[in-house]
């Protein structure tokens, strides 16, 4: 495995629920990312954190709220989601946010909004 | 703006035959290029990357890719395909001249290797 762990692996939630996705890495990396993967579409970058500070936010709806309490943990808080938000949410980390470093991905959380 | 194009949704090859998965990119500066593979119900796994130096890059599981600046391409290749290579392959790019940006991915190409 890559050293990036995501929980839960599967999540079903109603549109009025509040839930959180968790990502954890103990690779000593300083940058962490959230991506959304929908069928037949490119991976969509959602958020980038470098040294616990958000450095990129790609026009993501406010119903998605990230939190990076330390360099090893990243959360994605979800509330009042829509069915079209159903997707695989991938967390990744890299040693830094520099352009030449590859990212290591978790296995993802399969989210279904009903 | 950065972008990646993978023109084929699916590539089908017979086991033992060579395979090519195509990727073209667009960046304003110089690129760093990556290939990832995703097996069913798994996250993405890093295969190889081009940073600088030789245009032919060798990676995991016998895969290689050739950087072609004039054609802005970074096609993934393998001389002899295995059934176990069947998976979803993603090409990704970063602009070398822009710090603090994350990888931008193509939509993926499904490789199917038949026995």
């Amino acid at each position: 495995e890559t050293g990036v762990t995501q929980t839960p692996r599967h999540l079903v939630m109603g549109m009025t629920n509040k839930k959180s996705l968790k990502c954890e890495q103990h690779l000593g990396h300083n940058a962490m990312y959230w991506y959304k993967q929908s069928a037949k579409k490119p991976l969509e970058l959602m958020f980038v954190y470098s040294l616990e500070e958000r450095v990129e936010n790609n026009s993501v709806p406010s119903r998605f709220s990230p939190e990076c309490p330390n360099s090893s943990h990243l959360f994605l808080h979800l509330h009042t989601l829509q069915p079209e938000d159903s997707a695989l949410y991938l967390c990744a980390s890299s040693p830094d946010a520099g352009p030449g470093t590859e990212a290591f991905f978790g296995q993802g959380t399969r989210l279904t909004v009903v | 703006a950065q972008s990646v194009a993978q023109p084929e949704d699916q590539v089908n090859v017979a086991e033992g035959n060579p395979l090519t998965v195509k990727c073209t990119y667009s960046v304003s500066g110089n690129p760093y290029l990556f290939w990832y593979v995703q097996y069913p119900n798994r996250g993405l796994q890093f295969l190889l990357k081009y940073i600088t130096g030789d245009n032919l890059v060798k990676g995991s599981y016998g895969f290689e890719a050739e950087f072609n600046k004039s054609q802005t391409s970074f096609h993934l290749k393998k001389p002899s395909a295995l059934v176990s290579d069947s998976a979803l392959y993603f090409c990704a790019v970063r602009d070398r001249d822009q710090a603090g940006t994350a990888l931008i991915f193509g939509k993926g190409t499904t490789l199917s290797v038949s026995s």
Side-chain angles (χ1 to χ4, degrees):
Chain A
E1 299 301 331
T2 63
V4 180
T5 303
Q6 289 186 244
T7 54
R9 292 291 308 278
H10 301 273
L11 178 62
V12 179
M13 61 184 289
M15 289 188 284
T16 58
N17 290 161
K18 289 184 179 182
K19 297 287 184 182
S20 295
L21 309 185
K22 180 181 177 181
C23 177
E24 186 172 358
Q25 60 91 6
H26 294 289
L27 301 170
H29 291 173
N30 291 321
M32 297 186 77
Y33 314 83
W34 280 116
Y35 284 88
K36 176 184 178 183
Q37 184 179 19
S38 305
K40 305 300 182 186
K41 294 176 65 176
L43 269 71
E44 300 173 48
L45 176 64
M46 301 177 73
F47 301 104
V48 180
Y49 276 83
S50 178
L51 296 172
E52 302 155 42
E53 288 190 17
R54 191 188 310 179
V55 296
E56 193 163 338
N57 174 1
N58 276 15
S59 301
V60 178
S62 60
R63 58 186 183 268
F64 295 92
S65 175
E67 179 190 2
C68 187
N70 55 61
S71 60
S72 298
H73 294 87
L74 184 66
F75 294 90
L76 188 63
H77 303 301
L78 316 171
H79 64 96
T80 59
L81 294 190
Q82 305 297 313
E84 60 264 29
D85 296 322
S86 299
L88 182 67
Y89 288 84
L90 292 166
C91 174
S93 70
S94 63
D96 53 53
T101 53
E102 63 269 28
F104 294 77
F105 284 80
Q107 293 185 305
T109 294
R110 174 70 62 186
L111 174 67
T112 303
V113 181
V114 297
Chain B
Q2 306 166 105
S3 66
V4 175
Q6 292 182 244
E8 303 153 315
D9 287 340
Q10 179 143 350
V11 171
N12 299 308
V13 298
E15 188 173 31
N17 283 358
L19 69 87
T20 299
V21 183
K22 296 180 181 178
C23 171
T24 58
Y25 65 90
S26 174
V27 296
S28 56
N30 294 301
Y32 288 134
L33 294 155
F34 303 79
W35 276 101
Y36 284 81
V37 60
Q38 185 179 34
Y39 297 100
N41 302 312
R42 304 292 294 274
L44 276 68
Q45 296 178 33
F46 169 75
L47 272 180
L48 52 80
K49 66 180 179 181
Y50 170 79
I51 302 299
T52 188
D54 288 342
N55 290 342
L56 184 64
V57 178
K58 294 186 183 297
S60 306
Y61 312 121
F63 284 94
E64 58 188 29
E66 185 166 14
F67 170 60
N68 187 318
K69 187 173 183 178
S70 63
Q71 297 185 3
T72 61
S73 68
F74 190 56
H75 301 330
L76 182 70
K77 299 182 179 184
K78 186 172 182 180
S80 178
L82 300 172
V83 172
S84 58
D85 292 329
S86 299
L88 183 58
Y89 289 81
F90 290 94
C91 182
V93 68
R94 264 190 179 134
D95 189 328
R96 183 186 305 183
D97 302 321
Q98 292 190 30
T101 59
L103 289 166
I104 302 301
F105 287 83
K107 62 179 172 61
T109 298
T110 298
L111 173 66
S112 179
V113 181
S114 57
S115 57

